[in-house]
């Protein structure tokens, strides 16, 4: 009987190892860089690169529409902002996988001292429970083995570390909308002083 169960036990162990590996890799991304490593980041360029990355990892195909003000540049850590956008666009793909004509919109705007990034989809939207917990670590609506529940928590942490904000909501005509706001000139000095503490 034990030998008969061996293949499923090994498969379970392998799934667990993959999940732990994903968690560790995602947690490593939270080792934030020093302020000296920030640079001027063109948000449209990073958004288009992130969309290409997310598209390559998905079987689902969706129409991605970019609606970007020209030349919106922030002082930030490029790799971390790229990670935020990959996470948001990746989730939008997942949200639209059962939609007949899946659409994702990425908008970038400049408002006074802040830049705004919007990623929205025409998927099923977010329940009240999900809206309450969406940025908590290990919270996921995906089936076991498909997600670690860390992507949005990491995104929230990165945006906060940059002195910005990220909020989730539902679109009036269906689907979810995530709005990121970042200061144009980097995180305020008090946030920078807290880095690595």
């Amino acid at each position: 009987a034990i030998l008969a169960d061996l293949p499923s036990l090994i498969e379970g162990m392998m799934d667990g190892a993959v999940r732990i590996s994903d968690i560790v890799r995602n947690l490593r991304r939270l080792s934030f860089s020093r302020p000296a490593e920030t640079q001027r980041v063109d948000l449209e360029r990073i958004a288009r690169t992130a969309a290409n990355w997310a598209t390559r990892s998905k079987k689902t195909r969706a129409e991605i529409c970019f609606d970007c003000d020209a030349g919106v540049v922030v002082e930030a850590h490029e790799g971390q902002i790229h990670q935020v956008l990959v996470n948001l666009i990746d989730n939008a793909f997942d949200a639209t996988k059962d939609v007949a004509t899946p659409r994702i919109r990425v908008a970038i705007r400049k408002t006074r001292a802040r830049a705004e990034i919007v990623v929205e989809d025409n998927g099923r939207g977010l329940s009240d429970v999900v809206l309450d917990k969406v940025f908590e670590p290990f919270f996921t609506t995906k089936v076991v083995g498909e997600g670690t529940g860390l992507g949005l928590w990491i995104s929230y942490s990165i945006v906060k570390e940059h002195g910005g904000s990220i909020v989730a909501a539902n679109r009036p005509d269906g689907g979810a909308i995530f709005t990121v706001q970042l200061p144009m000139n980097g995180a305020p000095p008090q946030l920078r002083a807290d880095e690595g503490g």
Side-chain angles (χ1 to χ4, degrees):
I2 293 174
L3 284 177
D5 291 340
L6 204 53
S8 65
L9 288 171
I10 290 172
E11 186 179 351
M13 288 172 61
M14 292 298 291
D15 287 346
V18 168
R19 184 171 168 79
I20 290 166
S21 172
D22 285 346
I23 290 168
V24 170
R25 188 169 62 251
N26 282 323
L27 288 173
R28 279 184 181 152
R29 291 188 182 121
L30 278 181
S31 56
F32 295 105
S33 302
R34 292 291 171 198
E37 294 180 35
T38 63
Q39 62 198 87
R40 290 175 61 75
V41 177
D42 181 320
L43 290 180
E44 181 177 0
R45 180 178 63 79
I46 290 295
R48 288 182 181 275
T49 303
N52 286 337
W53 278 46
T55 302
R56 281 202 300 265
S57 69
K58 296 294 174 186
K59 293 176 185 170
T60 308
R61 286 290 169 260
E63 176 193 344
I64 303 181
C65 165
F66 288 91
D67 178 13
C68 305
D69 288 350
V72 181
V73 174
V74 297
E75 186 73 26
H77 187 288
E78 184 169 318
Q80 290 172 2
I81 300 306
H82 175 264
Q83 181 62 42
V84 170
L85 284 161
V86 168
N87 287 342
L88 293 179
I89 295 169
D90 188 77
N91 284 350
F93 267 105
D94 290 340
T96 59
K97 67 182 177 185
D98 299 322
V99 175
T101 54
R103 284 189 298 273
I104 297 166
R105 177 175 172 265
V106 179
I108 296 172
R109 298 281 177 265
K110 180 180 177 180
T111 61
R112 292 193 182 179
R114 296 179 86 75
E116 183 177 87
I117 307 164
V118 172
V119 177
E120 60 183 40
D121 62 66
N122 66 339
R124 57 193 173 273
L126 305 166
S127 70
D128 290 344
V129 172
V130 172
L131 279 170
D132 266 355
K133 296 178 176 290
V134 72
F135 296 114
E136 291 182 5
F138 301 107
F139 177 78
T140 182
T141 58
K142 296 174 184 175
V143 298
V144 173
E146 280 194 9
T148 61
L150 289 171
L152 287 176
W153 173 63
I154 286 172
S155 298
Y156 175 86
S157 302
I158 288 171
V159 170
K160 188 175 178 187
E161 193 79 11
H162 278 79
S165 64
I166 179 169
V167 293
N170 284 312
R171 298 168 65 232
D173 51 349
I177 178 166
F178 286 80
T179 305
V180 175
Q181 289 200 335
L182 294 168
M184 302 293 291
N185 297 315
Q190 68 270 18
L191 281 175
R192 290 178 178 174
D194 290 342
E195 283 198 8

